Structure formats: structure tokens, C-alpha cells
Amino acid sequence: MTTTLIQQVHPLGGEAVDVLITDAVISQIAPSIDADADVVIDGTGLIGLPGLVDLHTHLREPGREDAETIETGSRAAALGGYTAVHAMANTDPVADTAGVVEQVYNTGREIGLVDVIPVGAVTVGLGGQQLAELGAMADSAARVRVFSDDGVCVSDPSLMRRALEYVKAFDGVIAQHAEEPRLTVGAQMNESELSGKLGLTGWPAVAEESIIARDCLLAEHVGSRLHICHLSTAGSVEIIRWAKSRGVNVTAEVTPHHLLLTEQLAETYDPIYKVNPPLRRAEDVDALRAALKDGTIDIVATDHAPHAAEDKQCEWSAARPGMLGLEQALSITIMTLSNEAGEVDWERVAAVTSTVAAQIGRLAEHGQGIVVGAPANITLLDPTASVVVSGTELASKSHNTPYEGLELPGRVKYTLLRGELTVKNGQAVR
Amino acid sequence: MKRHLLSAADLSRDEAIAVLDTAEQIETSLQGREVKKLPTLRGRTVVNLFYEDSTRTRISFELAAKRLSADVLNFSAKGSSVSKGESLKDTALTLQAMGADAVVIRHNASGSPWQLASWIDGSVVNAGDGTHEHPTQALLDAFTMRKRAGRGVGDGLDGLKVTVVGDVLHSRVARSNVLLLRTLGAEVTLVAPPTLLPVGIETWPCAFGYDLDQALPDADVVMMLRVQRERMNASYFPTEREYARRYGLDAARAGSLAPQAIVMHPGPMNRGMEIAAEVADSARSTVVEQVANGVSVRMAVLYLLLGGAA
Ligand SMILES: [Zn+2]
């Protein structure tokens, strides 16, 4: 029996308490605990959060281990405060069978820095033609509940309807990458005045919004759960708000980069800023931030997308879309959810970075926070510290961060997965 | 002049006029010479780095560099840009190691000359990037307009009314021309079907419209853009016939032009599509002059970037 005592931590920014963990479970919370613990953590001045849960991570294994592995991605996740990440299905081979998802799940377990929860592909090979064996993946050891062809939209409305219906049998959810492909042929950046000027083919907002509207109506029609990946436009926010007001069972995520960065960065022609969906206008960023505050957008998801140097140090149109995010997501969420006086709404931070994502993914072990009887998946954050981002110092195997040189607020000091430290004093334990 | 010529917007009015004046001087100094060659860039190396086929532009730059006595290397890298061969960056480092003083780049990816410029020490000249810009084309067009308008050294194009017609959306010639002509004081109007005008056209420093017949009587210069036939399959317009009827410059339309008005085309032309043969071959047409002026203007650009003052 191992015991860990966290002294004088502030759960969700509240009063300081001692937290005792016995055998991976929170066993006692009190203003002061006198226990002979194996591990003692000084939590003075630290904010206690439920271990973060990402619904949208690309770990690249199997297939592109040169860009990221489950191990390097797990380390990046732990350093970012995560205790669970959903590994996207667009690997090589695609995670569209029970065999592949079990392999990803088991590798994550063996590494043990973070729970790696595979996302299953909706269609075979992300081909958009035929449903993958969703039930087999749900029944596998990986217990898949989130299904997505992320990167490729399930654009056939009939197939999307069937997918939504089918996963009801095991309480699954379809996470849609909303992009009408016929409206984004050759698209390279947000369609706008700027794309016209830069001579880069535009990715119009309506390509995202039309699919979200369609899928909300389909989800309503068949009574299923729908999740929309990486919302990027003000119009998408409006549609989600409308759908929720109708009672549609829809949730939505936003990425850290869409909360912070604008299309203006494309002017550099530096593919580090190329991402799908693309960075949008300042008005869109404002709408996304407001929607995260008011609850229209449910969670922050990283869309952490590591890419090898040669896939980014090339012509903009040849570069792969995507950027890193695991190690900066919490800081950017804090920036978004703090008021002008610098006060942070920690309840909301916990909801959007952990609790709600765990609920969408049906992860019973995660997102419960600092309550007696809960699994000890906890993140301790120093809100007064800050980090200057340096790509080469990140734990990720790739360095494609759009935040290079930026000073971001907050630093994860400790991350505990089932009571075991995965991050100690700001350093990964392994 | 700055170190690179990447965008027509890089040129101030004085710099743009200096290029035109230099081209004029170069022409004058070569007149009557048996050997059309100046010693200005002897010992300097100019590389033509062409990722996209364009024999006309490449030969024009090659001739310009050779007439200035530079060593010229032609590096044709067609097809290797997106396919995993040697990357643009590796090629840039190779050229750097070979001591290229200037790299003239034509590439199908918008923005690639900017990336190249960040990787090498020499000068970079944008010879057309994707659907973005083609600044030396704009300079040679301006040079042609200035001559035809009877203006000379030191002059801009103030008050000249230029109508650019056709596929503006995909045209680097149009983008660079709008920027440069504006700098030189001309008034530009773009005419095209709405599908071939970029989003945000309202914010460009020019007028725009959909009706060619309305635009013609007022124009001093009509610049017809080449229509790529593959645009038809993508439904930018219904048929070739309808395009030619609504946006083609046929003899009847040319008849509504003012007597002094000229007709330009960057070539190669689709005769019978955007321009009728009799218009292309008429006295108004500057198509052949544009080609000749292209060499002089590119000489001026290389001279100013690598050798000269101004
Ligand atoms: Zn993704």
C-alpha cells in the first residue's frame, strides 16, 4: 500500500487543504492531515485540477514514429497536465480494427505516463465508403467510445446518419471533422481578403458550418450523440448554440491555437502556421473565446499534430497541416478563461480541460477531480509561473510549435496518474 | 533597390520608375551595337530555378542575364517540389554553396520565393509564384504602357486607365499589375465573371465589374488575361463559347475602344477565346513588344539588384 500526501493545495483555487491518496484513490481531504505518507508533495500556492483529458491527440504511432511515438506523446501530455488522451485514428495502419486499437491502448498502458484511449475510425481506412467494425472496437480491451475519421470529413450524409445510429448500441459518439470536401478543393488557408491577396486557395467558413448544421439535424433526427471537432468560425458557434437550444445532443471542442492565433500569420508563408481547419479572422477568435466562456463550446481539445521537420520546412502548399499543443493547452485555456483583473475561473478551466471531455469519452476513471473516493488523477499547477516556449525543449519528438518564443502563463508542477507521479517539479519522471 | 524582388508591392514609386528608366537606358546603350551585350555583371552568377514550365519567362531571364555578361545556370526542377525529392530547402542550400548571386525562381506554390529568400544570402527574383505574383511581368507591362502613352524617363503612369479582363482569381499577372500600376498612378479596373474575382476584391486598390462592354470605351489600356481551359471543368463559367461571348475581346468590341487605346496580353494567347485573332494581330496589340520589353526590364532588375546603384 503506497500513500501520498499533498499538503496545502488549493483545489480549483479554493481553500488550502491536505489530500491523502491511498492505493491510487483519494482517501481523505481535510484542512490538515497528519499521516506518515510514502510521498509528500508541497502544494503551497498550487492549484489542484482534475488530471486533464484530451479528446483529440495525434500520437502518430503506428506509422509515423519519426514524428511522434506513444511514448514521446505521453511524456508531452503528462508535462501538459494530462492524465488521459484520446489518440486519433489516422495512423498507418488506420485504427479501424480491434487489433490496432488494442495495440495502441496496450502500448500506452505499458508506458504508463498517461492513459492512451484510442479513437476508432468511423470508416474503413478513413475511406468514407464503408463503416469500420465499430462494435468490435467498442468491445475490445480498449473499450472505444469515440469514433472519428478526423482529418477527413464523413461527408456522405447517409453514411453519417448510419454511423450516428449504429454507435447508440454501445453509447458511442461520432466526432466529426466538419469540412465539406467539395468546398475546400486545394484549400490552403482561411478564405478571406487575405487569401486573395496571398494567392493561396481559400478554405471558406461555410464548408465547416454547412456540415455542422447538417450533422446537428441528423443527430437530432436519429437521437444520437454528436461531437464536433475543432470549431473554428463564429458561424459554427452560432449553429452549435442554435442546435443546443433545440435540444440536440451535440458537444463541441476548440483548439488552443484557434483561441489565440489568426490567419494573419499566413502572411509569413511559414508552414508552421498551416493547420486544418485553418486559422481564421480575429472576429472568429473572439467568438470562440466567448463561446468557451459561456459554455456553447464544451471543451478545449489540442489537436496536437506533430510533424517531422521535412513536412514543415517546405513550400506552404506542400506542407502538412497541424501544430503541437499538448504542452501549451492549459496555459492558453487559462488566458482565455481569466477576466481583466487576471482572476481565473478555475471551475470552468477544470470543466473544459478535463471533466466534460471525460464525460464525452465515457471515461469513468478521469475528470472527477479532488473528491474522496475518486481515482487520484490530479494536476497541480503553479499559476504564478510562466514558460517561454522553445520547440527544441518540448517533449514531443517534433518541434512544430506556433508559439515559439511566446511567454505563456502557468506551469504544471505535478501530474499524478492513479496516485503515481508522472511529472515531478515540472519534469517528467521518465 | 532592396535585396530581393518578391512582390510588386516591394517597389516604391521612385524605385519602380528607376527600373523603367534603367530599362530605357539599357535599350538606348544597346542600340546600334553589333554585339548586344554589356559587361556589367561579369563574374556574377544568376540561377534560373524553374519548378514550373515556362519557356518564355525562362528564356527572357536567361537572355537578360547573358546580355549583362553574367554566368547563367538553368536549374529545371519540374515536378520535384511536392513529390519527395530534393526539397526546396536543400536546393536552396546547394545554390548557396555554389555561390549564386541571384536566384530567379518560378514555382507553383504561392509564397515559395519568400521561403527561398529566408534560406539564401543572394538576391531572389520572383518569376511567378503559384496564383500569387509575377512582379517582372508587371514591370514590363508598365514599361510597355509608358512607351505607348508617349511618356518618357522619370514619368509614371498617372491618370492612365487600365482595364484588366479575365481570370483575376488565378492570375499572378493581375495581382502584380494591380499593385504596381496603382503605385505608378494608373487607375485599374478589373472585369471578370464574379466566379473569377477573388474574395475581398472590394478592398483591393482598384475598381471592379462584371460587364466588359461597359468598361471598354473608357480604357486607355485593355489587358486580356489567359484563361486556363481547366477552369471550365471546375464550373467557373458554363462554356467556352459563353465566356468568349461575354468576356472575349473580338473585333466588334475592339471597335468600341478609344482610338489611342492599346490591347495587351501576357501570352500565350488562346486565340478565339479571350482574344480574337484580328485583335491580337492589330496595330493596337502590344503582344510582341511586351516580349521584347521583357528582356530590357529584366536586365534592369538584375542590374539594379546585383550591380547598379539607383
Ligand atoms: Zn486532428
Side-chain angles (χ1 to χ4, degrees):
Chain A
M1 191 173 85
T2 352
T3 56
T4 301
L5 180 63
I6 307 170
Q7 293 176 318
Q8 297 304 294
V9 66
H10 303 264
L12 304 184
E15 292 298 309
V17 293
D18 284 1
V19 177
L20 188 67
I21 298 161
T22 311
D23 269 353
V25 173
I26 297 172
S27 55
Q28 195 188 344
I29 301 172
S32 175
I33 297 172
D34 193 9
D36 202 9
D38 303 309
V39 179
V40 177
I41 297 168
D42 179 9
T44 311
L46 303 183
I47 307 288
L49 294 167
L52 272 51
V53 176
D54 193 12
L55 205 68
H56 193 150
T57 310
H58 295 273
L59 293 179
R60 304 295 183 218
E61 184 179 346
R64 280 307 298 265
E65 288 84 355
D66 59 323
E68 191 82 289
T69 62
I70 294 174
E71 183 169 2
T72 56
S74 290
R75 197 172 296 131
L79 284 165
Y82 288 89
T83 54
V85 298
H86 287 76
M88 268 300 165
N90 63 342
T91 47
D92 183 14
V94 171
D96 59 0
T97 62
V100 178
V101 294
E102 284 193 347
Q103 182 199 330
V104 169
Y105 176 77
N106 289 332
T107 307
R109 273 280 168 168
E110 281 159 28
I111 292 159
L113 285 168
V114 60
D115 284 348
V116 176
I117 318 293
V119 172
V122 179
T123 65
V124 175
L126 310 178
Q129 298 291 321
Q130 187 194 343
L131 287 181
E133 289 188 345
L134 307 174
M137 291 188 273
D139 293 342
S140 75
R143 294 179 42 82
V144 175
R145 290 295 176 272
V146 183
F147 299 90
S148 183
D149 279 0
D150 175 57
V152 192
C153 182
V154 181
S155 62
D156 179 333
S158 172
L159 190 69
M160 184 62 182
R161 175 207 169 135
R162 299 294 176 225
L164 284 165
E165 284 178 316
Y166 192 78
V167 299
K168 286 205 287 188
F170 33 86
D171 197 20
V173 61
I174 305 294
Q176 176 71 294
H177 171 102
E179 173 183 356
E180 169 48 57
R182 294 294 298 148
L183 288 173
T184 59
V185 175
Q188 296 294 330
M189 67 170 290
N190 182 41
E191 180 181 295
S192 65
E193 179 199 338
L194 189 64
S195 66
K197 204 178 116 193
L198 295 178
L200 292 172
T201 305
W203 197 132
V206 67
E208 175 172 311
E209 293 156 4
S210 58
I211 291 289
I212 297 177
R214 181 199 79 176
D215 287 355
C216 285
L217 293 172
L218 285 174
E220 180 179 47
H221 183 64
V222 300
S224 300
R225 287 207 289 147
L226 168 69
H227 177 75
I228 304 294
C229 296
H230 38 53
L231 237 61
S232 72
T233 78
S236 297
V237 168
E238 285 308 309
I239 294 163
I240 295 289
R241 190 173 286 138
W242 166 81
K244 284 184 169 180
S245 75
R246 270 173 84 99
V248 178
N249 200 347
V250 61
T251 51
E253 71 187 35
V254 63
T255 69
H257 47 270
H258 287 109
L259 289 170
L260 194 66
L261 310 176
T262 69
E263 62 166 7
Q264 212 63 39
L265 291 162
E267 261 189 324
T268 62
Y269 286 112
D270 183 344
I272 205 86
Y273 302 115
K274 181 173 170 180
V275 67
N276 187 13
L279 300 176
R280 306 282 190 184
R281 306 161 308 161
E283 301 94 288
D284 297 303
V285 171
D286 290 344
L288 293 166
R289 294 169 71 96
L292 188 69
K293 282 184 178 167
D294 74 20
T296 305
I297 292 178
D298 299 271
I299 59 170
V300 172
T302 65
D303 197 6
H304 178 81
H307 286 300
E310 68 269 20
D311 290 325
K312 280 294 192 182
Q313 288 176 10
C314 55
E315 302 85 320
W316 178 285
S317 57
R320 288 174 189 253
M323 31 183 77
L324 300 183
L326 282 171
E327 292 175 68
Q328 293 78 41
L330 183 54
S331 292
I332 294 167
T333 306
I334 292 169
M335 288 164 75
T336 309
L337 296 177
S338 53
N339 64 18
E340 277 159 23
E343 293 154 346
V344 182
D345 183 348
W346 293 109
E347 303 246 3
R348 189 85 194 117
V349 170
V352 306
T353 59
S354 173
T355 316
V356 181
Q359 284 162 4
I360 296 168
R362 298 296 193 248
L363 304 183
E365 275 212 341
H366 291 271
Q368 296 184 35
I370 302 176
V371 290
V372 173
N377 296 316
I378 299 172
T379 295
L380 304 181
L381 174 91
D382 181 352
T384 60
S386 65
V387 180
V388 177
V389 180
S390 162
T392 52
E393 286 171 21
L394 296 175
S396 244
K397 208 164 180 181
S398 296
H399 307 314
N400 55 309
T401 174
Y403 310 113
E404 184 73 35
L406 260 160
E407 185 173 355
L408 297 176
R411 184 182 180 99
V412 172
K413 292 276 283 193
Y414 299 92
T415 307
L416 293 94
L417 177 65
R418 283 183 286 280
E420 297 281 336
L421 281 170
T422 57
V423 173
K424 185 177 175 183
N425 234 329
Q427 304 293 323
V429 296
R430 268 174 287 145
Chain B
M1 203 154 144
K2 299 168 185 76
R3 186 151 64 92
H4 309 295
L5 180 58
L6 301 175
S7 164
D10 292 346
L11 298 168
S12 67
R13 181 183 166 97
D14 287 349
E15 285 170 329
I17 289 176
V19 175
L20 306 188
D21 291 352
T22 305
E24 195 93 53
Q25 286 156 13
I26 287 172
E27 275 192 356
T28 313
S29 60
L30 285 176
Q31 245 160 32
R33 284 203 191 205
E34 207 150 302
V35 181
K36 296 220 177 293
K37 220 166 174 174
L38 299 171
T40 322
L41 296 185
R42 189 167 288 150
R44 317 297 295 274
T45 302
V46 175
V47 178
N48 285 324
L49 179 58
F50 275 55
Y51 283 85
E52 200 182 66
D53 269 342
S54 175
T55 312
R56 295 167 160 254
T57 306
R58 186 182 56 72
I59 288 176
S60 181
F61 270 105
E62 185 171 351
L63 209 54
K66 283 185 171 161
R67 285 190 178 167
L68 291 168
S69 307
D71 296 325
V72 183
L73 297 173
N74 285 316
F75 196 112
S76 171
K78 190 177 177 275
S80 70
S81 59
V82 180
S83 70
K84 284 251 174 154
E86 191 179 51
S87 71
L88 178 62
K89 186 167 184 180
D90 289 336
T91 305
L93 298 178
T94 304
L95 299 178
Q96 172 87 325
M98 288 174 174
D101 296 293
V103 179
V104 176
I105 178 172
R106 159 70 66 106
H107 201 295
N108 51 13
S110 299
S112 40
W114 277 257
Q115 292 176 300
L116 185 68
S118 73
W119 292 326
I120 67 170
D121 294 333
S123 294
V124 175
V125 179
N126 181 359
D129 65 319
T131 53
H132 185 217
E133 281 216 52
H134 194 359
T136 59
Q137 175 74 39
L139 284 163
L140 78 85
D141 289 339
F143 187 65
T144 307
M145 288 178 211
R146 192 170 81 164
K147 279 192 163 182
R148 278 285 190 126
R151 303 187 192 188
V153 170
D155 291 340
L157 298 172
D158 303 272
L160 206 70
K161 293 190 170 67
V162 182
T163 298
V164 181
V165 186
D167 185 0
V168 175
L169 180 63
H170 301 96
S171 175
R172 46 196 174 208
V173 175
R175 272 180 190 71
S176 285
N177 261 298
V178 166
L179 295 167
L180 183 74
L181 294 174
R182 179 70 190 182
T183 300
L184 290 170
E187 293 165 29
V188 182
T189 302
L190 304 175
V191 177
T195 47
L196 290 174
L197 288 171
V199 168
I201 191 81
E202 317 77 39
T203 63
W204 288 29
C206 59
F208 70 96
Y210 313 129
D211 188 337
L212 181 57
D213 290 308
Q214 207 179 13
L216 287 181
D218 213 25
D220 299 306
V221 178
V222 182
M223 185 183 294
M224 304 306 294
L225 299 173
R226 178 178 168 81
V227 176
Q228 307 279 335
R229 294 193 189 239
E230 65 261 29
R231 303 291 174 228
M232 225 177 66
N233 305 326
S235 294
Y236 286 99
F237 49 85
T239 61
E240 212 170 299
R241 187 174 61 181
E242 175 156 325
Y243 183 89
R245 278 189 187 155
R246 292 176 67 84
Y247 296 99
L249 189 61
D250 58 15
R253 281 209 171 98
S256 73
L257 288 167
Q260 85 288 353
I262 59 169
V263 173
M264 306 183 76
H265 193 296
M269 295 179 281
N270 294 307
R271 287 168 181 259
M273 173 92 172
E274 70 262 5
I275 192 165
E278 56 262 59
V279 180
D281 300 331
S282 72
R284 291 183 185 285
S285 167
T286 63
V287 176
V288 179
E289 282 161 68
Q290 283 171 269
V291 175
N293 290 339
V295 178
S296 309
V297 162
R298 287 172 178 131
M299 286 174 80
V301 167
L302 291 172
Y303 170 75
L304 291 171
L305 286 175
L306 293 184

